[in-house]
Amino acid sequence: MANTPQSKKRAKQADARFAVNKARRSRIRTFLRKVEEAIASGDKDAATAALRAAQPELMRGVTKGVFHKNTASRKISRLSSRVKSLG
């Protein structure tokens, strides 16, 4: 448990950052799920549109420190190759 005023403040700040990061991570996962659902349905136009919407969200997560840059790039690359392979 936090004892000093500084440690109490840092604990409060950590909780606040956790809430912000959790919300951002959830939002990004929703965008990724929409791409997955469009791929599963086989609709190339919808999948392309969903991927186009998901890319900036993922990269925004990188700049905000939620995801590592390589992780986001890998996810985008794998999703885009799957969208591209749709007939």
Side-chain angles (χ1 to χ4, degrees):
M1 184 62 207
N3 291 320
T4 65
Q6 180 183 4
S7 62
K8 288 177 184 175
K9 180 179 178 180
R10 293 303 298 173
K12 209 161 92 173
Q13 287 175 329
D15 288 342
R17 291 308 316 158
F18 176 75
V20 169
N21 288 338
K22 185 176 180 182
R24 185 167 281 123
R25 201 167 30 246
S26 173
R27 177 178 163 85
I28 292 169
R29 285 182 183 146
T30 302
F31 275 90
L32 294 178
R33 194 190 71 238
K34 287 179 183 175
V35 178
E36 292 285 348
E37 288 171 354
I39 290 171
S41 71
D43 188 359
K44 188 168 186 168
D45 293 333
T48 305
L51 180 63
R52 225 174 249 137
Q55 283 177 338
E57 286 297 323
L58 253 170
M59 295 320 285
R60 194 169 297 121
V62 171
T63 60
K64 299 296 183 181
V66 177
F67 287 114
H68 191 272
K69 184 172 70 169
N70 292 354
T71 302
S73 296
R74 183 182 66 241
K75 287 179 183 294
I76 289 171
S77 174
R78 289 180 181 173
L79 282 174
S80 61
S81 67
R82 286 174 61 199
V83 169
K84 201 174 188 181
S85 70
L86 285 175

